[in-house]
Amino acid sequence: MNAVSTSESLPSMESELRSAPPNALVETTRRLLGERAGARDVTVLLADYGLRVLRPVAPLPGTGEALSAYDGPAGRAFTVQTPVVEPAEDATATVYVPVTVRGDRLGVLSARLPAAGADTAGVRGLAEFATALGHEIATAERDTDLYLLARRTRRLTLAAEMQWQLLPGRGSGRPEFVIGAHLEPAYTVGGDNFDWSTDGTRLTVTVTDGMGRGIDASLLTSVTVGALRNARRAGVSLSDQARLADQAVYAQFGGKVYASTLLLRFDLATGTVQAVDAGSPRLYRRRGDTVKQIELEAQLPLGMFEETAYEEQIFTVRPGDRLVAVSTGVHGARSPEGALFGEDALRRALDAAPTRAPQEVARSVVASLVEHFGSSDLTADAAVVCLDWNGRGAATP
C-alpha cells in the first residue's frame, strides 16, 4: 500500500479516476488498488437515506450485503470518521476508510491489503484515495443513477425523491464551522428541507417546514427553496430574502398553503448571526453544559399573506457553541399515548451526545424521536440541522 501514499502515485490514480466513465468508478477503483497496492475484495459502500445501513455499489440494485452504519468496522469508520484496520491470520488486513466530501459523509471504502501495505502510510494513502473517489462520485451522480440507487433500501415516494434532489447534502465543513443534518422519514419525506451556502465571508442556513404532506408539500417546499436561493444569489439582505420568497410563494399558491422557515446568516469572521424566524422551526444552542432555546421573534410563515415585511434579529455565537435547528415534526411530535416529544426530550437527546460530530448529533436526535414515537414511520416530517461553530477567533458575547 506504500505506493498509494507516494506523491507520484496518488495524482496518477486520481487522474485515472477522473477519466473513468461515471458508472465505472468502482471497477476502476478495484483495478487501481489491485494493480498498485495488491488489494483484494475492494468494496464501495454508501450510506442509505435513513443513515441506517451501508450498501455496496453494484450494477444490479439490491445485490451485495448491506452493513450497519453504526456497528462493526465499516460502521465505526463511517460514524467516527477514522480508518479502521482489521488484521487477518493470512498476512492480510482489511482496511475501512470513510468516503467524505467537504464534510458530507457518503460512505466507506474497504479493501483487503497485504499486511505490509496496511501500515500508517498505506492507510493514509488509502484514505486520501477515498477522498478523491468521493469527489468523483459526487460529480458522477449528474450522469448516472448508480450511486443514488445504492443509497436506497426501498423505493422513495415521488415527494421524497424531489426533496432529496433539492438538498445540498447532509453535511458541510470548513475551518469556521461543521454542519450535519438529517431528514426523517427518509423514504417518504415531503415538506421539510434544509439548505446552506457559504462564501469567503458568510454562511447562510435555512430550515423549511412546508405545510401539508406528500407531493403537495414537496411542490410548496420546492418553490420556497428555489425562491430563497434566487433571492440569496441576488445579494440582498436576509430580511429581503424572506420578503422575496414570501412574495413568490404567495403568488404561486395564493395564501392557501405556506412554508415555515428559519433563516440564519453567519459572519464567518465575527460570529454575528442575523436571523429571521418566519414560522415554526426552533433553534437551540449548547454552550458548555447548558442547552437553551434561542428565543426569536416569531414572524409570519412565507406565503401566508401578500407583501409581508420581515425584520432581522441579531445574536452572536462563540467558538465551541453548538446550534441545533429542528422543524415542527421534531419539537411537536407526540408518542402513541399523546406525550409531546417537546423541549425536555430534545435537551436530553442533545445532552446524550455532547462530543459527537454534528452529523451524529442530527442522527441521534432523530433516533430519540423515533423511539419516542414508537416507529420510524413518523406521521410528520422531521428535519434536524446541527452546526458546530469554531470561528476565526473569540467572538464577543
Side-chain angles (χ1 to χ4, degrees):
M1 191 61 198
N2 289 331
V4 177
S5 63
T6 66
S7 59
E8 294 82 9
S9 181
L10 187 60
S12 171
M13 295 174 72
E14 290 187 27
S15 177
E16 292 198 47
L17 274 179
R18 285 194 295 271
S19 62
N23 62 305
L25 291 175
V26 176
E27 291 84 351
T28 303
T29 293
R30 287 175 178 149
R31 176 178 61 80
L32 290 172
L33 294 179
E35 292 174 353
R36 308 199 187 181
R40 292 177 285 167
D41 302 332
V42 176
T43 305
V44 178
L45 301 147
L46 297 181
D48 84 304
Y49 288 106
L51 293 178
R52 294 180 178 87
V53 297
L54 298 165
R55 304 187 69 245
V57 178
L60 295 177
T63 59
E65 181 185 3
L67 303 178
S68 170
Y70 301 88
D71 303 316
R76 292 198 303 274
F78 180 73
T79 299
V80 186
Q81 288 291 286
T82 190
V84 174
V85 180
E86 292 246 308
E89 296 181 355
D90 60 353
T92 66
T94 301
V95 182
Y96 302 84
V97 293
V99 178
T100 301
V101 178
R102 299 187 186 278
D104 190 8
R105 303 180 179 188
L106 303 184
V108 170
L109 170 65
S110 70
R112 186 151 61 99
L113 305 174
D119 60 3
T120 300
V123 172
R124 183 173 61 248
L126 186 64
E128 292 173 355
F129 179 86
T131 298
L133 175 62
H135 281 273
E136 294 307 314
I137 289 174
T139 302
E141 286 183 345
R142 300 180 303 182
D143 301 305
T144 178
D145 289 336
L146 180 64
Y147 310 103
L148 294 173
L149 291 173
R151 291 181 178 148
R152 54 192 72 187
T153 59
R154 61 182 187 272
R155 183 176 177 178
L156 272 68
T157 63
L158 176 56
E161 189 84 55
M162 294 172 64
Q163 287 298 76
W164 283 107
Q165 291 300 305
L166 195 62
L167 295 174
R170 286 189 293 207
S172 180
R174 56 177 293 167
E176 296 87 351
F177 64 85
V178 180
I179 296 175
H182 190 44
L183 282 179
E184 198 72 35
Y187 293 85
T188 59
V189 64
D192 282 12
N193 180 274
F194 46 80
D195 194 26
W196 52 72
S197 178
T198 184
D199 55 27
T201 60
R202 293 179 297 197
L203 164 70
T204 302
V205 178
T206 60
V207 179
T208 298
D209 185 348
M211 180 179 174
R213 291 280 292 170
I215 189 67
D216 290 337
S218 184
L219 288 170
L220 167 62
T221 302
S222 295
V223 171
T224 304
V225 173
L228 286 167
R229 288 174 175 172
N230 181 255
R232 184 186 71 221
R233 292 163 186 167
V236 299
S237 67
L238 196 69
S239 57
D240 281 342
Q241 291 177 35
R243 180 178 59 83
L244 292 173
D246 170 72
Q247 292 175 1
V249 175
Y250 184 86
Q252 183 65 36
F253 299 103
K256 296 178 182 178
V257 292
Y258 44 84
S260 297
T261 304
L262 175 66
L263 299 86
L264 303 171
R265 186 160 70 179
F266 297 77
D267 186 302
L268 297 182
T270 66
T272 300
V273 186
Q274 298 165 299
V276 174
D277 181 358
S280 57
R282 292 184 183 176
L283 182 65
Y284 295 84
R285 179 183 64 208
R286 182 185 182 94
R287 177 173 288 171
D289 295 330
T290 303
V291 177
K292 65 175 293 185
Q293 182 180 353
I294 296 180
E295 300 285 351
L296 298 170
E297 179 186 352
Q299 301 176 67
L300 294 174
L302 304 181
M304 178 175 281
F305 297 108
E306 190 174 12
E307 298 290 343
T308 303
Y310 292 91
E311 295 184 0
E312 299 174 9
Q313 294 177 264
I314 305 293
F315 65 93
T316 304
V317 288
R318 303 172 183 171
D321 280 357
R322 166 168 286 172
L323 299 181
V324 179
V326 296
S327 66
T328 307
V330 179
H331 65 76
R334 293 184 179 276
S335 70
E337 295 76 26
L340 190 67
F341 184 68
E343 187 170 319
D344 288 342
L346 182 59
R347 289 174 188 269
R348 287 195 297 273
L350 295 179
D351 283 337
T355 61
R356 294 182 186 175
Q359 284 198 338
E360 291 306 307
V361 173
R363 187 163 70 167
S364 70
V365 170
V366 170
S368 296
L369 174 65
V370 168
E371 182 179 1
H372 177 84
F373 185 71
S375 169
S376 60
D377 296 323
L378 304 175
T379 56
D381 298 340
V384 181
V385 176
C386 178
L387 182 148
D388 279 0
W389 183 258
N390 303 318
R392 294 179 182 170
T396 303

